[in-house]
Amino acid sequence: MHHAGLPFVAGGLGVAAVGRKQRWVRGAGLLAAGASAGFFRHPRRVPPTRPGVVVAPADGMVCLVDTATPPPELDLPDTPLPRVSIFMSVFDAHVQRAPVGGEVLDVLHRAGRFGSADRTEASEDNERNSVRIRTAEGAEVIAVQIAGLLARRIVCDARPGDHLAIGDTYGLIRFGSRLDTYLPVGTQPLVGVGQRMVAGETVLAQLP
């Protein structure tokens, strides 16, 4: 389980302990603790070993494959980049994993709305946190955590200067959200809308 879930599980167990003499209170506390443990689960994943691949940074379903300019707060050239968006329902594991191995160049948070994360507009309107990673070969990949209708908290443990291995866990979004991955110019995504993603394992693209 991801460490961000510990307070939620502890709270449910605390309610169960305090209300142990009342069956419905105890049951509600245990149910809340179990549901929280399930939501904050942190399954083991085995990334591919072949060089140059980009893996899915989140579990969920691909809701968009297009080109778009990266978030303006990154202060990058206004060049449209290939983008793959993954929507996470409350039933998906919500930990985020590094799509490539490399150095973290930027981690930038921007406040915003909490609209439905499956809308195209969510990439621009919703609260988000952008992580830019440069591989050893010099390719840059951007993973953007986007809060959703029920998501009120973005957790990001990565910091500029950190070195992540492909598939490393670096963050989490609580209770339904979206993850946008921006790829280098010339990269052809290998997934399509409606396809299920397994974070850290499913290959999104092969870098040029």
Side-chain angles (χ1 to χ4, degrees):
M1 184 177 67
H2 192 275
H3 61 81
L6 293 176
F8 294 87
V9 174
L13 294 176
V15 170
V18 171
R20 62 184 180 277
K21 294 183 178 179
Q22 293 182 290
R23 184 161 48 182
W24 71 271
V25 175
R26 182 182 61 189
L30 291 175
L31 180 62
S36 295
F39 178 85
F40 289 101
R41 64 192 183 278
H42 189 184
R44 182 175 179 271
R45 298 288 163 79
V46 181
T49 57
R50 72 179 188 267
V53 297
V54 181
V55 297
D59 285 5
M61 183 176 291
V62 175
C63 62
L64 189 68
V65 178
D66 65 355
T67 58
T69 55
E73 58 267 23
L74 290 170
D75 198 25
L76 296 174
D78 193 22
T79 302
L81 302 176
R83 176 177 65 174
V84 177
S85 300
I86 301 170
F87 176 73
M88 293 168 276
S89 75
V90 294
F91 301 107
D92 291 309
H94 270 57
V95 292
Q96 275 85 64
R97 301 173 190 265
V100 292
E103 181 183 0
V104 177
L105 301 180
D106 293 305
V107 179
L108 293 170
H109 179 270
R110 197 211 70 165
R113 300 178 182 176
F114 294 96
S116 179
D118 60 352
R119 300 178 307 118
T120 302
E121 296 81 6
S123 295
E124 298 181 5
D125 298 341
N126 287 17
E127 178 177 346
R128 63 179 179 248
N129 187 74
S130 302
V131 177
R132 184 163 65 108
I133 304 172
R134 178 182 290 159
T135 70
E137 295 73 31
E140 294 186 5
V141 175
I142 303 164
V144 184
Q145 299 166 288
I146 300 173
L149 189 62
L150 299 177
R152 299 288 168 174
R153 174 81 169 140
I154 295 175
V155 177
C156 182
D157 298 321
R159 299 290 181 270
D162 288 352
H163 285 79
L164 300 174
I166 186 171
D168 277 356
T169 299
Y170 74 88
L172 175 142
I173 314 177
R174 294 177 186 167
F175 309 119
S177 42
R178 172 172 162 174
L179 214 298
D180 285 357
T181 304
Y182 293 84
L183 305 165
V185 172
T187 306
Q188 182 64 44
L190 302 177
V191 298
V193 173
Q195 186 173 341
R196 293 290 305 180
M197 298 290 101
V198 178
E201 293 187 355
T202 303
V203 174
L204 288 186
Q206 179 79 41
L207 293 173

